[in-house]
Amino acid sequence: MELERITVALRPRTAREAVDLGAAMLRAHARAVWSAWFACSLPVVAVCIAAGWLLQWPWLATLLIWWLLPLFDRVPLYVLSRAVFERAPRWRETLRGQRQWPWGGTIAAVTWRRIDSHRTLRFPMELLEGLPSRQRRERWRVLRRPIGTDASALAFGCLELSVVLFVGMFLCVALFIPPELMPDWLRGSIGGVARRTPEVTGALIAATAYVAWSAIEPLHVAAGFALYLNRRTQLEAWDVDLAFRRLRDHWLAAGRGAALLLALACLWPHGAWAQKAEEPPVQIEHVFDQPVSAQDQRFAEASAEAFRDPRFGGERKEHRWVPREWSVKPKPVKIERMPFEGFGNAVAIGVKGLVALVLIALVVAVAIFLLRRARLPAVGVRSRHEATLETHLETIEAEAHLPDDLAAATRRLWQGGRRREALALLYRGCAEAVAEALQTSVPADATEADCLRSARRLEESRRRRAETIVRAWQYAAYADRYPRDEDFEQLLAGWPAAARGAA
């Protein structure tokens, strides 16, 4: 491996710093990564969506795209692994380069290891190192030991980001378009999800999920590749190796003349060196004035043999459970009186009382809100007989046919203080008038949006009056906002109330 050509600053990093490094590499080579990603994945995604459409299984397309994500992960890994040591390849080079990599690990990733959370950490080892199976297993045990948890946390974090992005894009269409402005095919597909997911909705869900995964999955691969590089830097001391190589290049670039002068200076004969070389070597007997015994010799041999044992090499961490030793006689604890203890107790009691008052006020406010929302009769204002009689009259009036003089009946209810019932009666009359004008019938489950959609086929003046009546009813029904008396009279002045009264 030519470390001199690497474009990343090699140094031991924490897991979070390594993930940030992966995001930086992805930003630096975003065009090369995503162009190759879409060139590889778009045809496969189109086939998956077509298969779900033809088989009438709308969920199949999304499941297939998610299942084949490990197949697409090879593409950003190829781009980043080349971009770290040289230029980033183009998408055609990336697609041709997939034939150079083995497919055994990829087949395992899309079959029995599909839910492996260490996928992006395992892929660089399998595709870049090319080790045999036995060495690959040993290498994997060493590689994943300290960063396996970080790789799993990265996988789950990217999964959460994909879900958030998918839900945000899908609900942006479903929630921020008014129902009356939404196209019929889109409204029908969204409304049919609860009963039977149509093919259009399945294709939309699959396309939206693919866009979300296309945004997050290359980031997942880049962060996993950065974790792999950081782990190899820790194991093989790439930063130290690279520093020595740069030092060697620096000395070589300084010129061969300086190196030749240094060599001549080292080889120049010197009297003191020659005299020192003629002296016999110092032995331990000369230092301590006593010979080395046989016992010392045996100890030296045993020490050398012990140090040759492989168990003494490297580092090893051992975790053991040790029972805690409980003291039979606990030491007495001397409790000292804190300064300003009385003032602190008073403040604590005051805060506790304030919190209790806030909780009581909150409970009372919630109860009042629920009573108002449920429109329960106030205690002592109406009797139960009056409330039951009024509800019975409203039910009879709702079930009966519309009066012949719709304007007079609506005005009578409005002047009697029953403004909600008046607007409801006017809205019913408007819905039936729209149906009569179109020579259709009003469905039992028709909504205000259905009435507005039907009114679009009327002439301009009637369409505007129908929209005004429906909006007035919606403000009253859902927001308790009623029109003024003069505005209400304008609603009764023309079609459909005046037309029904004249008829």
Side-chain angles (χ1 to χ4, degrees):
M1 182 178 295
E2 300 180 2
L3 291 179
E4 299 88 350
R5 302 173 60 184
I6 197 167
T7 59
V8 178
L10 291 178
R11 63 178 179 84
R13 291 178 170 86
T14 62
R16 295 183 179 180
E17 291 176 341
V19 171
D20 291 339
L21 175 63
M25 290 191 299
L26 182 63
R27 290 194 303 268
H29 308 286
R31 183 175 181 180
V33 170
W34 269 291
S35 61
W37 172 274
F38 287 116
C40 176
S41 60
L42 272 178
V44 181
V45 170
V47 172
C48 295
I49 294 177
W53 191 297
L54 295 177
L55 296 176
Q56 295 183 355
W57 293 343
W59 49 268
L60 181 62
T62 306
L63 179 62
L64 285 177
I65 296 172
W66 173 79
W67 197 268
L68 295 177
L69 284 180
L71 179 64
F72 305 149
D73 289 347
R74 296 166 58 98
V75 174
L77 179 60
Y78 185 90
V79 175
L80 294 176
S81 62
R82 267 58 182 176
V84 166
F85 291 96
E86 54 187 40
R87 68 174 182 86
R90 298 183 178 181
W91 65 271
R92 290 187 179 88
E93 300 175 5
T94 302
L95 296 183
R96 287 195 298 265
Q98 299 302 313
R99 294 177 295 182
Q100 303 174 3
W101 280 356
W103 289 90
T106 307
I107 295 175
V110 296
T111 52
W112 66 86
R113 284 208 304 256
R114 178 56 188 86
I115 58 175
D116 185 14
S117 60
H118 301 156
R119 182 179 71 245
T120 56
L121 187 61
R122 189 191 296 267
F123 261 19
M125 182 198 68
E126 294 179 346
L127 299 179
L128 298 177
E129 297 183 7
L131 299 175
S133 59
R134 182 175 180 180
Q135 296 181 6
R136 188 167 60 246
R137 288 193 296 269
E138 297 177 356
R139 176 73 168 173
W140 174 244
R141 283 196 295 268
V142 175
L143 191 67
R144 71 170 182 177
R145 187 177 301 164
I147 59 175
T149 305
D150 301 320
S152 300
L154 174 65
F156 288 115
C158 291
L159 177 62
E160 292 174 358
L161 287 176
S162 302
V163 172
V164 169
L165 188 59
F166 165 74
V167 174
M169 289 189 298
F170 196 80
L171 294 184
C172 183
V173 178
L175 297 182
F176 291 94
I177 297 181
E180 60 271 12
L181 299 180
M182 188 178 298
D184 294 338
W185 64 270
L186 184 58
R187 181 176 179 273
S189 61
I190 294 176
V193 170
R195 301 186 298 272
R196 182 185 63 84
T197 305
E199 289 76 9
V200 176
T201 305
L204 287 176
I205 291 176
T208 307
Y210 168 68
V211 173
W213 284 323
S214 298
I216 303 301
E217 193 64 20
L219 176 62
H220 186 196
V221 176
F225 180 57
L227 285 174
Y228 167 78
L229 291 179
N230 185 53
R231 180 57 179 159
R232 289 202 61 177
T233 302
Q234 295 173 356
L235 289 175
E236 304 172 18
W238 279 1
D239 52 342
V240 179
D241 188 4
L242 187 59
F244 278 114
R245 293 188 184 189
R246 290 173 177 172
L247 183 62
R248 181 200 62 188
D249 296 340
H250 175 73
W251 280 103
L252 291 178
R256 296 184 178 180
L260 181 60
L261 292 177
L262 181 62
L264 292 176
C266 293
L267 295 177
W268 189 265
H270 197 276
W273 294 353
Q275 183 180 1
K276 186 176 182 180
E278 295 175 358
E279 295 180 358
V282 180
Q283 302 292 335
I284 190 171
E285 297 87 350
H286 301 159
V287 176
F288 294 99
D289 296 332
Q290 55 180 334
V292 179
S293 63
Q295 184 178 1
D296 295 336
Q297 187 68 27
R298 288 195 304 272
F299 176 76
E301 294 177 357
S303 301
E305 183 179 358
F307 279 109
R308 285 194 297 269
D309 194 334
R311 290 176 296 177
F312 287 95
E315 297 181 358
R316 184 178 62 181
K317 294 182 180 180
E318 184 177 353
H319 300 274
R320 291 184 300 172
W321 290 94
V322 179
R324 179 181 295 179
E325 297 180 0
W326 294 95
S327 178
V328 180
K329 295 182 179 180
K331 298 180 179 179
V333 179
K334 183 178 180 181
I335 301 176
E336 299 180 357
R337 186 175 180 86
M338 300 295 295
F340 305 103
E341 184 176 357
F343 177 74
N345 293 334
V347 172
I349 293 174
V351 172
K352 184 176 180 180
L354 181 60
V355 171
L357 290 177
V358 171
L359 290 177
I360 292 173
L362 182 61
V363 170
V364 172
V366 170
I368 294 175
F369 175 76
L370 293 177
L371 289 175
R372 289 182 177 179
R373 296 293 296 178
R375 294 189 175 278
L376 295 177
V379 180
V381 177
R382 299 181 185 177
S383 63
R384 182 177 299 177
H385 175 71
E386 292 176 352
T388 305
L389 179 59
E390 182 179 353
T391 305
H392 180 65
L393 291 176
E394 291 178 4
T395 304
I396 293 177
E397 188 172 346
E399 294 177 355
H401 296 286
L402 289 175
D404 296 334
D405 193 352
L406 180 61
T410 306
R411 187 178 291 107
R412 184 169 57 253
L413 290 174
W414 184 271
Q415 294 175 356
R418 302 171 64 180
R419 298 182 297 174
R420 183 183 180 86
E421 290 79 1
L423 290 175
L425 184 60
L426 181 59
Y427 166 68
R428 287 182 54 203
C430 177
E432 293 196 6
V434 172
E436 290 177 1
L438 298 176
Q439 296 181 357
T440 58
S441 60
V442 181
D445 57 346
T447 61
E448 292 89 344
D450 296 330
C451 182
L452 291 176
R453 192 174 293 105
S454 300
R456 293 177 185 175
R457 293 181 286 175
L458 298 176
E459 58 185 8
E460 184 68 19
S461 60
R462 291 191 175 186
R463 181 181 64 83
R464 290 183 178 179
R465 288 196 60 82
E467 290 180 354
T468 304
I469 292 174
V470 172
R471 294 302 184 194
W473 160 247
Q474 287 179 333
Y475 288 146
Y478 303 115
D480 286 337
R481 294 173 55 186
Y482 296 95
R484 296 176 297 181
D485 293 340
E486 52 271 18
D487 296 335
F488 181 74
E489 290 296 335
Q490 291 181 2
L491 296 177
L492 300 181
W495 182 87
R500 180 174 291 274

